[in-house]
Amino acid sequence: MTPLLRSVPFFALATMMFVLAGAGIAALLSYVGRTRLVRWDPRARHTVLLVLLALPLGLGLAMLVATTAPSWLSTWLPQLDHCMSHDDAHAHLCFVHLPSVHVHPLVAAGLLALTGWSLLRALLFVVKLVRALRVLRSLARTGECDEGLGATVIDSAQPVCMAAGILRPRVLVSRGLLGQLDDEGQQVVLAHERAHVERRDALYATLGRGLAEFHFSWVAAWLVRELDIAAEQACDDEAALVVNDRLSVASAIVQVQRMVQGHHMGATSPLTVSLVQHAVERRVEALFDSPPARMSLRVPMVLASLAVIMLFALSGEVHHITEFLLSGLTR
Amino acid sequence: MANRPVRPPLLGELETAVMNHLWRGHDGDAKSVHTALGKRRGITLNTIQSTLKRLYEKDLLERDKVSHAHIYRARVSREEFHRDLIGEIVGGMMAGQTESFVSAFVDIAEQAGPEHLARLEALVNERRKKQKGKAP
């Protein structure tokens, strides 16, 4: 194996360590902040949840860049080359000095297996995504575009109203649902779905689910669910502004939930039984109160920026510690 | 009853245009469909014939031989087609495969239970009464 190829597993392992650290931090922040977070304004909550979802991958990449900073900086300023300060009998995270040691074969095999498994999952997800988007496209193209409603009407008795699509989302509503709702109910559901389209919630939800793969499973499940609920509540608030009545939105949610459950009675999968408060309850109860004040995320953004600056300021120390940890995985 | 595919067939752009045409009651042969759709799109008669054949093989069309030509008509109504497509989307949601690119007005997979819904309805009605009581 060439020295260059020998260094690839070290970079991969370093990245994994950083992603794991990010997942740990995200788990801790989610646990500590969960009670306070659910009381936030849904728009700000949605943003914070996306940041938490992105934390492992984001922190992993930031730490990789920071840790390798001494190396790529030394290509311009040789006096910053720190590799001269230690021998070659340990792992190097360096573009200039390539390692003379190998990663342990078991570790290398584990890395390969993990990479293969991740690629397979990504491929299956893409296949499923392409099929689903084609289904939605077929629905939208064969439906009737109603400019007055701002939606595509589907010829179905099932009570369906959805915002569908990632890059070009659109609102789909069935004749079955329109027939069972009065004018105000129709206004509410369509305003809610239009809000999803304007907010590009499908894009963020898809992104969120991809980022959730880098979290511990129980943290991922909580973050994704909370992200969905925050998006729904944000759109409920938008719909309430349109009809100028939060109770009408609450009433429409309960009415449509009853229609949908009546239609799919007996078809529930055991996976859908939930021990936590149902999303519909949280949405309805939130509409009983006035909308929470919009939160400014300026302070968290400033703190996050300071953390990144500090990370880069300490890149030398982080580099040493990482190489020390990686040395334990060499043979 | 006719056999139905397990997963609904999906339609390309021209296939969609042809199906929409036939669903509007315009049964016909390849020439009439080409006159209605193909000419203004610059599509050849052969392409329309291939499309009709493909839709027939997807079990979406029926045809009768009249003289030398096949007369095509929709075998599946628009409603049946939509029902199958929605069924696939909803089926995925019910199976716990959360489709991130679809935001339904309510969570189709969530079964809040009639007692929960009744409680929520009662709460909404109570708030409505209070709201009317406060109104001048």
Side-chain angles (χ1 to χ4, degrees):
Chain A
M1 193 189 287
T2 66
L4 189 62
L5 271 179
R6 228 184 282 144
S7 66
V8 167
F10 288 116
F11 282 99
L13 280 169
T15 311
M16 272 179 58
M17 273 169 33
F18 301 146
V19 168
L20 199 60
I25 294 170
L28 183 65
L29 287 173
S30 301
Y31 179 74
V32 165
R34 70 191 188 287
T35 314
R36 189 178 282 187
L37 192 60
V38 295
R39 292 198 290 264
W40 280 20
D41 142 50
R43 281 149 295 227
R45 192 183 341 136
H46 191 261
T47 303
V48 168
L49 288 163
L50 275 173
V51 169
L52 282 173
L53 278 162
L55 192 57
L57 188 63
L59 186 66
L61 291 174
M63 283 187 75
L64 184 67
V65 170
T67 308
T68 53
S71 172
W72 44 265
L73 281 174
S74 71
T75 58
W76 300 319
L77 300 164
Q79 58 268 35
L80 292 178
D81 184 359
H82 81 293
C83 288
M84 298 306 174
S85 62
H86 53 58
D87 60 40
D88 274 345
H90 79 296
H92 270 301
L93 270 182
C94 187
F95 299 109
V96 178
H97 301 91
L98 300 173
S100 59
V101 294
H102 295 266
V103 160
H104 194 282
L106 280 178
V107 174
L111 260 180
L112 268 174
L114 184 65
T115 307
W117 180 73
S118 302
L119 284 173
L120 183 64
R121 278 175 66 93
L123 183 65
L124 289 173
F125 174 75
V126 167
V127 165
K128 201 178 99 168
L129 177 68
V130 166
R131 167 78 193 181
L133 289 175
R134 289 188 64 202
V135 168
L136 290 170
R137 206 175 302 139
S138 285
L139 253 183
R141 281 185 182 154
T142 53
E144 188 188 315
C145 187
D146 188 322
E147 284 185 14
L149 293 177
T152 300
V153 180
I154 301 164
D155 245 336
S156 171
Q158 295 180 63
V160 169
C161 187
M162 57 178 80
I166 296 179
L167 296 178
R168 283 178 296 176
R170 62 195 105 194
V171 178
L172 305 174
V173 62
S174 68
R175 291 198 196 282
L177 184 72
L178 290 174
Q180 293 184 69
L181 288 173
D182 59 17
D183 285 346
E184 190 176 60
Q186 288 181 22
Q187 236 191 331
V188 166
V189 298
L190 290 169
H192 175 101
E193 297 307 330
R194 277 197 291 272
H196 275 307
V197 168
E198 280 156 26
R199 287 169 42 87
R200 305 196 76 84
D201 281 331
L203 177 62
Y204 292 122
T206 306
L207 195 65
R209 276 157 178 77
L211 292 168
E213 294 291 315
F214 297 97
H215 283 264
F216 298 116
S217 58
W218 61 95
V219 179
W222 184 82
L223 284 171
V224 165
R225 179 178 157 82
E226 285 300 317
L227 187 76
D228 287 346
I229 293 175
E232 294 303 328
Q233 287 180 324
C235 293
D236 288 339
D237 287 346
E238 292 296 322
L241 285 174
V242 168
V243 299
N244 202 27
D245 185 359
R246 292 175 73 76
L247 285 180
S248 291
V249 180
S251 177
I253 291 170
V254 178
Q255 194 183 358
V256 175
Q257 184 75 39
R258 201 182 270 287
M259 278 183 221
V260 165
Q261 284 183 198
H263 199 87
H264 297 288
M265 204 181 304
T268 319
S269 155
L271 291 172
T272 64
V273 172
S274 173
L275 296 174
V276 300
Q277 189 186 22
H278 291 286
V280 67
E281 289 182 38
R282 283 179 60 178
R283 287 172 66 189
V284 168
E285 287 172 3
L287 287 161
F288 291 157
D289 301 319
S290 303
R294 289 248 182 168
M295 295 206 53
S296 168
L297 295 175
R298 205 168 292 157
V299 169
M301 278 169 61
V302 166
L303 289 174
S305 304
L306 285 173
V308 170
I309 290 168
M310 224 168 69
L311 176 67
F312 278 86
L314 296 171
S315 61
E317 285 73 17
V318 176
H319 180 96
H320 277 303
I321 293 170
T322 309
E323 283 188 340
F324 173 73
L325 289 171
L326 287 175
S327 296
L329 298 169
T330 61
R331 63 165 186 186
Chain B
M1 182 179 269
N3 286 334
R4 282 283 196 68
V6 174
R7 286 214 300 186
L10 302 180
L11 304 179
E13 201 178 322
L14 183 57
E15 290 172 340
T16 304
V18 169
M19 287 305 302
N20 281 336
H21 175 76
L22 293 174
W23 276 326
R24 283 192 286 268
H26 303 304
D27 301 350
D29 61 1
K31 265 192 189 163
S32 64
V33 176
H34 179 248
T35 304
L37 298 177
K39 275 188 179 170
R40 67 169 182 269
R41 290 164 192 247
I43 296 171
T44 64
L45 178 61
N46 273 348
T47 305
I48 294 289
Q49 279 171 332
S50 304
T51 304
L52 286 165
K53 186 163 174 273
R54 224 168 27 243
L55 288 168
Y56 172 74
E57 285 163 359
K58 285 183 181 179
D59 258 352
L60 292 171
L61 299 184
E62 287 174 329
R63 67 185 182 190
D64 296 316
K65 193 84 181 274
V66 175
S67 184
H68 296 294
H70 283 120
I71 304 294
Y72 289 91
R73 61 181 174 279
R75 186 163 169 280
V76 171
S77 68
R78 194 196 301 263
E79 187 178 345
E80 286 167 331
F81 183 68
H82 284 174
R83 187 183 60 208
D84 288 344
L85 291 179
I86 290 172
E88 183 171 329
I89 296 171
V90 168
M93 288 172 163
M94 300 287 280
Q97 297 157 19
T98 44
E99 304 286 0
S100 58
F101 28 85
V102 173
S103 303
F105 184 66
V106 293
D107 188 345
I108 289 167
E110 187 170 288
Q111 295 286 311
E115 65 285 352
H116 285 290
L117 293 179
R119 183 185 76 87
L120 290 172
E121 261 172 358
L123 283 171
V124 172
N125 291 336
E126 192 187 308
R127 294 284 172 140
R128 183 68 81 194
K129 280 183 196 157
K130 276 188 191 165
Q131 196 181 55
K132 283 181 181 165
K134 281 182 187 168

